[in-house]
């Protein structure tokens, strides 16, 4: 189809094509068809010929740059864009292409200034492309673990993106705020504070806000930095610098500024929030780190190797998920002592339970375009665990592997303090969740009671939390250390009793965050939201907090807010009841509150049945209950529920039987379809283990079988 000569000219001049680059229209139309027909090389050849006849045509040059990007040649695209901008430095479309190609060719650090230039100059005219730049920058920051920067880039992309792209970006932002892998104080929005300044200083502050509005947080921080000298006692200025530095990805400088703000705020809660964020950033950039290493060794015989590994008492073979093309041939946990059997679980304690110190992944040879030899990976924390696992494998494997040229690489890295707080049990695959949880909670109790309070930390100047008790100069830092520990526990799936920890440190809970009347609460930070007096909120405010809590999913907040919202009739009408009851049931189950979990399941089933008693809804709730009861094979309610699935659900859902029988076989629980399997209430159930929801394999296997194990997880 011929180009519309009355459409805006693609060169970006703002004129109609008829009155601008009409002499190029026919050639460019032909080149466009080549690109649409997946002939970029042919299109590039014609563009280069056209460029000789129409030197410095923005339409021709920008199209050449786009073709190079399509051909995955970002360096060539970058060089073309740079050369063109030397003659037309204000061409917005090429500015975006220059930043895009430089980001791909040189990496974020070298391209940051170009990216920010595109943010400032082209956001209004080319919002979709600039939003793409922001999303790419967010991905870089996320990969580096700079979560506040990643989130702010996502928020900027959402703000400028055209309507057709906003939904996808919004979903990515929701997923980010819901990620349990990000410390909860860093999730959600953080608002810049207002500072009391003189008129000239206020002018500089407003200038910084303009940079913030276009995603140029480093430039904003650079504008604000002199104000920290001009008004050194202004906590708000230091706070603003800290947030802008964090959003730019400069977490070391951000932590320094937030420490300074915390030391200047008279409001205790705001000081603690600044200090908490600063300590979390300090952990992220800590130089004293533990690396998790991977040692790759070529193998001479996989079958003989597996036979040898199966015979080692300290190695526990895991069941791998079927049908995963990327899964290894076999996976083993390396334990710190001989493996135990399920029948030994009752007598285990935290002192006698085996812990995982390394993982072994065995891959068979791969045939294809490029042959990959059989190999073994040893994954462990650098130091004693890595060395011991290597020595064990050398002794066991011997000549079955080629140890002459092993390859070592770094899998991950974490602050040493955080790494040493973690543990990973090596339970047998068929151990029940109740048995696992008993030992896990015992270890958590010990960590909270004895390990963390007495552990010296760089966050407190080399002192332990208990050593800081009563020291007024360390009060804010001690509060923040407790909140940082709470964030660590939350990431690990443990619901810390923060008030009890504060009491042990002789600290009072932070004061409530009071709101006036029906003031909005949706723009508060996560730590501010947690301090809201939810009992006194209006229905509208409580609904806002409930939805935010479901999004952020900080366990303690969910368990505090949702039950209250479910008691208010106006909230009850607006809540996603299915999601609320299932969330509460899952959290109680996760934290060992089985009776409460069963109660929430029953309440959810009863509540939903009043509005939707469909077969599918009832089956979903019954399956939820089955998952919970399977965690304890001695549960007297398990067998009657299995009978219901066999006699009521299975005839209507034929595909259910093989799936459920597979789960029961893994757990060594007698199937209700087997001879004598249908048992009435009161009969003794067969012993068994636990199946975790969402996993086709037995608990213990699904966490490490098909991916790299990381110590302490």
């Amino acid at each position: 189809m011929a180009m519309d000569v009355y459409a805006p000219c693609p060169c970006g001049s703002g004129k109609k094509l008829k009155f601008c680059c009409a002499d190029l229209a026919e050639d460019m139309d032909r080149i466009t068809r080549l690109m649409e027909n997946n002939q970029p090389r042919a299109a590039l050849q014609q563009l280069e010929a056209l460029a000789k006849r129409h030197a410095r045509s923005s339409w021709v040059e920008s199209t050449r740059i786009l073709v190079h990007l399509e051909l995955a040649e970002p360096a060539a695209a970058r060089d073309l864009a740079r050369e063109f901008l030397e003659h037309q430095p204000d061409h917005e479309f090429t500015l975006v292409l220059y930043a895009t190609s430089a980001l791909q060719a040189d990496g974020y650090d070298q391209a940051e200034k170009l990216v920010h230039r595109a943010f400032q100059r082209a956001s209004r005219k080319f919002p979709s492309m600039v939003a793409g730049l922001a999303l790419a920058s967010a991905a870089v920051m996320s990969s580096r673990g700079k979560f506040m920067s990643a989130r702010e880039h996502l928020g900027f992309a959402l703000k400028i993106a055209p309507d057709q792209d906003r939904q996808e970006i919004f979903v990515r932002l929701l997923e980010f705020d819901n990620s349990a892998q990000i410390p909860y104080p860093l999730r959600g929005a953080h608002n810049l504070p207002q500072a009391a300044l003189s008129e000239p200083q206020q002018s500089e502050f407003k200038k910084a806000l303009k940079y913030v509005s276009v995603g140029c947080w480093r430039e904003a921080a650079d504008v604000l930095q002199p104000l920290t000298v001009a008004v050194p006692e202004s906590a708000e200025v230091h706070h603003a610098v800290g947030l802008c530095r964090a959003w730019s990805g400069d977490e070391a400088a951000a932590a320094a500024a937030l420490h300074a703000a915390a030391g200047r705020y008279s409001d205790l809660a705001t000081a603690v929030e600044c200090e908490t964020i600063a300590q979390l950033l300090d952990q992220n950039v800590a130089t004293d780190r533990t690396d998790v290493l991977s040692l790759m060794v070529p193998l001479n015989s996989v079958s003989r190797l597996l036979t040898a590994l199966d015979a080692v008492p300290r190695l526990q073979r895991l069941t791998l998920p079927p049908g995963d093309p990327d899964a290894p041939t076999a996976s083993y946990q390396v334990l710190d002592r001989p493996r135990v059997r399920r029948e030994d679980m009752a007598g285990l304690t935290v002192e006698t339970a085996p812990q995982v110190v390394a993982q072994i992944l065995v891959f068979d040879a791969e045939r294809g375009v490029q042959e990959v030899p059989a190999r073994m990976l040893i994954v462990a924390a650098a130091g004693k665990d890595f060395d011991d696992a290597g020595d064990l494998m050398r002794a066991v494997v011997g000549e079955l592997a080629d140890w002459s040229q092993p390859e070592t690489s770094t899998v991950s890295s974490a602050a040493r303090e955080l790494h040493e707080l973690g543990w990973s049990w090596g339970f047998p695959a068929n151990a029940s969740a109740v048995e696992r949880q008993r030992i896990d909670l015992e270890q958590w109790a010990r960590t909270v009671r004895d390990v963390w309070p007495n552990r010296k930390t760089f966050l407190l100047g080399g002192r332990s939390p208990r050593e800081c008790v009563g020291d007024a100069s360390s009060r804010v830092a001690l509060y923040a250390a407790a909140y940082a520990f709470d964030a660590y526990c939350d990431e690990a799936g443990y619901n810390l009793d923060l008030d009890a920890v504060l009491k042990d440190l002789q600290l009072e809970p932070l004061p409530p965050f009071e709101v006036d009347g029906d003031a909005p609460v949706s723009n508060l930070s996560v730590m501010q939201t947690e301090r809201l007096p939810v009992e006194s909120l209006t229905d509208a405010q409580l609904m806002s907090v409930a939805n935010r809590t479901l999004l952020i999913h900080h366990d303690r907040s969910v368990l505090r807010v949702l039950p209250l919202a479910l008691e208010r009739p106006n909230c009850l009408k607006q809540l996603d009841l299915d999601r609320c009851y299932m969330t509460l049931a899952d959290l109680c189950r996760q934290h060992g509150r089985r009776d409460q979990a069963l109660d929430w399941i029953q309440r959810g089933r009863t509540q939903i049945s009043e509005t939707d008693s469909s077969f599918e809804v009832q089956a979903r709730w019954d399956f939820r209950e089955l998952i919970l009861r399977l965690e304890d094979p001695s549960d007297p309610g398990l067998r009657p529920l299995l009978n219901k699935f066999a006699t009521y659900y299975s005839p209507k859902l034929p595909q259910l039987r093989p799936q459920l029988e597979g789960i029961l076989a893994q757990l060594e629980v007698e199937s209700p379809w087997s001879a004598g399997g249908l048992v009435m209430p009161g009969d003794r159930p067969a012993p068994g283990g636990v199946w975790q929801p969402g996993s086709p394999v037995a608990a213990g296997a699904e966490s490490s079988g098909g991916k790299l194990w990381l110590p302490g997880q």
Side-chain angles (χ1 to χ4, degrees), residues 8 51 90 118 140 176 197 274 287 322 343 378 456 476 478 497 552 578 645 672 688 697:
D90 297 325
V140 171
F176 184 94
L197 301 169
C274 285
T287 55
E343 47 267 37
I378 303 172
K456 296 182 186 297
V476 170
L478 188 56
D497 186 344
I552 300 296
D578 211 36
F645 272 85
V697 297

Side-chain angles (χ1 to χ4, degrees), residues 96 173 300 303 326 441 469 531 595 622 659 688 694:
V96 180
L173 194 60
N300 299 321
S303 59
D326 298 322
L441 291 176
V469 171
R531 293 191 293 112
D595 291 341
D622 281 345
Q659 296 176 4

Side-chain angles (χ1 to χ4, degrees), residues 566 577-578 580-586 588 593-612 617-618 620-626 628-629 637 641 644 649:
L566 289 168
L577 297 180
D578 211 36
C580 289
Y581 284 115
M582 286 189 176
T583 296
L584 288 167
D586 287 347
C588 289
R593 308 175 188 177
R594 288 176 53 79
D595 291 341
Q596 292 181 34
L598 286 169
D599 180 61
W600 284 118
I601 287 174
Q602 182 55 35
R603 290 176 64 178
R605 181 190 286 118
T606 302
Q607 181 70 35
I608 298 300
S609 66
E610 295 176 359
T611 57
D612 185 357
V617 172
Q618 293 301 318
R620 185 166 64 246
W621 280 105
D622 281 345
F623 193 71
R624 208 79 173 193
E625 181 180 348
L626 179 63
L628 177 61
R629 294 194 184 279
L641 189 57
K644 181 177 181 180
Y649 288 121

Side-chain angles (χ1 to χ4, degrees), residues 3 5 9-11 16-31 50 53-55 57 59-60:
M3 292 185 176
V5 295
C9 185
C11 77
K16 303 294 184 184
L17 174 59
K18 180 180 178 65
F19 306 109
C20 189
C21 299
D23 55 334
L24 288 171
E26 184 176 344
D27 289 323
M28 292 302 293
D29 184 46
R30 182 172 61 255
I31 290 169
L50 197 59
R53 303 199 308 269
H54 299 271
S57 164
W59 190 3
V60 174

Side-chain angles (χ1 to χ4, degrees), residues 154-170:
L154 284 173
F156 177 64
L158 179 65
K159 182 176 75 171
I160 66 172
D163 291 343
Q164 65 268 22
D165 298 333
R166 290 174 61 83
Q167 181 61 34
E168 181 181 349
I169 300 173
F170 182 66

Side-chain angles (χ1 to χ4, degrees), residues 120 192 197 199-214 216-217 219-224 226-227 244:
Q120 292 180 64
L192 284 171
L197 301 169
E199 187 172 338
Q201 294 164 351
Q202 195 63 247
S203 177
E204 288 299 288
F205 199 89
K206 290 179 179 179
K207 180 180 177 181
L209 292 180
K210 289 182 179 179
Y211 277 121
V212 168
S213 69
V214 292
C216 298
W217 303 287
E219 291 81 353
D222 290 343
V223 170
L224 290 171
L227 294 179
C244 289

Side-chain angles (χ1 to χ4, degrees), residues 132-150:
L133 261 180
L135 291 175
S137 301
V140 171
M141 291 302 171
S142 183
S143 69
R144 296 178 178 181
K146 299 180 184 295
F147 299 123
M148 291 183 69
S149 179

